[in-house]
Every structure is written in C-alpha cells, then in structure tokens.
Amino acid sequence: MDGIPFTGTINDINVRDIKSIQVLKDASEVAIYGTRGSNGVILIQTKRGVDGAPQINYRTYTAFEEFANILTPRGPESYAQKYEDYFSQAFPDREQDRILENQSEIDNYNLGRTTNWFEEATQTGIIQEHNLSIRGGNDKVKYFVSGLYLDQEGVIKGYNYKKFTMRSNLDVQITDWLKMGLNAFFANNNFDGGRANLLNATVMSPYSVPLQDIGEYLIFPMAPELLYANPLLGLTTDRYERERTLSGNAFFEIKPQFLEGLSYRMNTSYTLNPYEYRNYEGRAANNNRGIRKHRR
C-alpha cells in the first residue's frame, strides 16, 4: 500500500480511500517481492491531495441485513411426530409410553410451551457507515485527510463490529528535483460482546424454553439432556476484543535535472499492530469455576 508492505488486515482498509488497485501475477513482476509474492502481489494506491481549494466529501449509508437463505426449522407437531416414528422403528415390540424423550420436553408439551430457537438467536442486522474526507493544496503542498466510522450489528445476536480509521497523506515539493511525503494511518477494530450459538439454536427441541421462571437463562433447556447447552448463554459473557493498526511512512523522491526520466525514491516506515482479547465466563454461561482469559 503506497509502496510499503501492509501488515494489517483487510478490515483495516477504508475502500473509499483507494485510488487504484493493481494485481501482479506474472513471475517476472513479483520476483522483487521474494517469498511474499508467491501467491501474487496486490498494489494499492490511496488518494492524495490535489491542486485547488479544499474539497470536502461526506458519505453515509444505512442498511438492514437478513439471512439470504433460512432453513425452515421443524415445528412442534412435526418434532413430536419424528420421535414417535423413531420409537416405533427402534422398538417395534414396545408400546410408546412417552410423547417425547426428555422430561423437560414432556412438561413443556403438557403446558403447551414452545420456542422458535432460530428467532431467539437471530435478529435483523443493521449496518451504518460515515466517511469524511478533505483534500486540496497548491503547487508546493498537497494534502488528503479522511476518517471512517462503521457500526455493524449482525444477524446473530451479540455479533457486533465497530471500525474507526483515519488516514493522512501529505506531499511537499521542496525543490524542482526533491519531493517528500508523509503518510499516517490508524485503524481500530472492535469485536466486543458475547454471542449466541447458532449451531445449538438449530438443534434445540421446540418443546424447550430459554428462561427459568426467575428470568435467568436455563443452562440445559432439554434437561436431563446435557449434550446441547442454551444457545443464548454466550450473551452473558463479558468479552473485549480489539485489534489496532498504526502505520506511518515517509518517502523522498529525487529527480536529477541533468538526467531526464531518471528518479530515485527512498521509503521508510513503521507499523504497530497491538491486539488485546479479554473474556470472562461465569456460572450464567455454564462455567462454575468462572474463567477469565486474557491475550495480547
């Protein structure tokens, strides 16, 4: 990116800052990149300042997200019929004495209580983005500054993503033969929040409920079945996950006046990629010991 190897992630890049993208695949083109070019090289050039008065651009959008394809879960009546068909085939010589396998399911069946677990674990996602950029300059100094804020609430409850990025590009024509530039970039990716378990939600019995009478989540809604825990337990965890990228680089470009077409450019850069993850699970999340995890 801008002549410097980019060590961040694809999430760090503000697509509205991109001026051009070039893909190098030929062996002769990627040879100078060594082993890093074994799978090809993508060259990204970001926008820079232009001559003239400041140009201010602001873009925003809001969108709603839904599942592209939803598998229809088995309804309560069909679920009970499935158990009856299973019992008659597994034990052809026995009379079925239970409408369902687990006692909690039977209790809910008798009370007429059912749950659509897919609806409990999912929601309508919302995404919004705000992007502001300013650029301008004259024949000596050109500048480009941009900022992005993105907030995404996923279709699975608890899946949230927030991103904030800033970029500053500065070009200074010192003399007719010497030019210098400064580029600074910062990105903060926020993945905080406990999350629902969609896999467990797809296998739960419709004759089970997520909450106890006192309003807390049941650990095993299909008790005494202990194979599948409540899909919503992850929403009770404290989860902190941040990934940041701080990058700065400078370049000097020399164009000797006595050799037309010859130029030399020297780049120097510094990149910092701090990462931090903290998570705590307590009894509400089916962890009786209360475990805290911390990674950097």
Side-chain angles (χ1 to χ4, degrees):
M1 180 177 289
D2 293 329
I4 300 296
F6 185 69
T7 59
T9 68
I10 193 68
N11 286 331
D12 293 340
I13 301 174
N14 179 2
V15 296
R16 302 195 186 279
D17 287 348
I18 296 176
K19 178 183 178 181
S20 65
I21 297 178
Q22 184 180 3
V23 180
L24 307 181
K25 296 184 291 184
D26 186 80
S28 61
E29 293 179 318
V30 303
I32 62 173
Y33 299 97
T35 57
R36 286 188 173 186
S38 58
N39 293 319
V41 176
I42 299 176
L43 303 180
I44 299 177
Q45 187 71 34
T46 61
K47 296 176 181 177
R48 311 197 72 83
V50 294
D51 287 334
Q55 300 177 8
I56 301 176
N57 292 288
Y58 173 70
R59 297 183 179 181
T60 183
Y61 78 85
T62 300
F64 297 95
E65 298 179 319
E66 296 284 359
F67 282 91
N69 181 32
I70 300 176
L71 298 178
T72 304
R74 188 182 294 273
E77 296 79 7
S78 179
Y79 186 85
Q81 183 63 47
K82 183 194 75 168
Y83 181 73
E84 181 180 341
D85 295 340
Y86 154 76
F87 194 94
S88 63
Q89 294 178 40
F91 310 102
D93 300 328
R94 288 174 51 186
E95 181 180 356
Q96 183 177 352
D97 57 352
R98 301 169 66 87
I99 189 65
L100 291 166
E101 185 172 10
N102 300 306
Q103 186 58 49
S104 62
E105 295 178 279
I106 296 173
D107 294 340
N108 288 318
Y109 177 87
N110 293 330
L111 292 173
R113 296 193 300 187
T114 62
T115 300
N116 185 325
W117 284 99
F118 185 84
E119 291 184 356
E120 291 291 331
T122 63
Q123 61 189 1
T124 298
I126 301 176
I127 181 171
Q128 58 175 319
E129 179 186 289
H130 304 274
N131 190 92
L132 176 66
S133 67
I134 304 173
R135 65 175 177 171
N138 51 43
D139 58 342
K140 295 295 183 181
V141 179
K142 297 181 178 64
Y143 60 88
F144 173 81
V145 181
S146 73
L148 166 76
Y149 175 74
L150 182 143
D151 187 350
Q152 181 179 19
E153 187 174 309
V155 293
I156 300 175
K157 289 183 178 178
Y159 275 76
N160 302 312
Y161 173 57
K162 294 180 175 64
K163 177 172 73 171
F164 172 73
T165 69
M166 286 196 68
R167 173 174 294 279
S168 174
N169 295 339
L170 179 66
D171 297 296
V172 181
Q173 191 72 47
I174 301 176
T175 67
D176 293 339
W177 54 271
L178 178 61
K179 178 181 178 181
M180 70 167 293
L182 297 171
N183 303 322
F185 172 74
F186 174 75
N188 179 69
N189 295 288
N190 181 333
F191 304 93
D192 292 355
R195 301 166 178 179
N197 188 318
L198 185 60
L199 175 61
N200 281 5
T202 61
V203 297
M204 297 299 292
S205 166
Y207 289 105
S208 58
V209 293
L211 297 173
Q212 305 178 43
D213 293 337
I214 59 176
E216 297 181 354
Y217 286 125
L218 283 165
I219 303 297
F220 297 106
M222 296 190 296
E225 170 63 73
L226 304 182
L227 181 60
Y228 298 107
N230 192 326
L232 307 181
L233 296 183
L235 300 177
T236 68
T237 63
D238 293 326
R239 186 172 181 275
Y240 175 98
E241 184 176 5
R242 304 290 173 88
E243 185 175 6
R244 301 178 177 92
T245 298
L246 177 61
S247 175
N249 67 76
F251 71 85
F252 293 90
E253 188 173 88
I254 301 173
K255 292 184 178 181
Q257 299 297 301
F258 55 87
L259 289 175
E260 186 177 352
L262 176 65
S263 66
Y264 177 79
R265 176 168 172 147
M266 181 179 68
N267 292 307
T268 181
S269 68
Y270 176 79
T271 301
L272 182 66
N273 292 115
Y275 172 82
E276 186 172 7
Y277 171 84
R278 298 197 301 265
N279 185 62
Y280 175 78
E281 295 179 352
R283 293 181 179 179
N286 193 28
N287 192 327
N288 291 328
R289 292 185 299 169
I291 292 181
R292 180 179 181 270
K293 300 177 182 178
H294 189 194
R295 295 197 306 268
R296 287 182 180 270

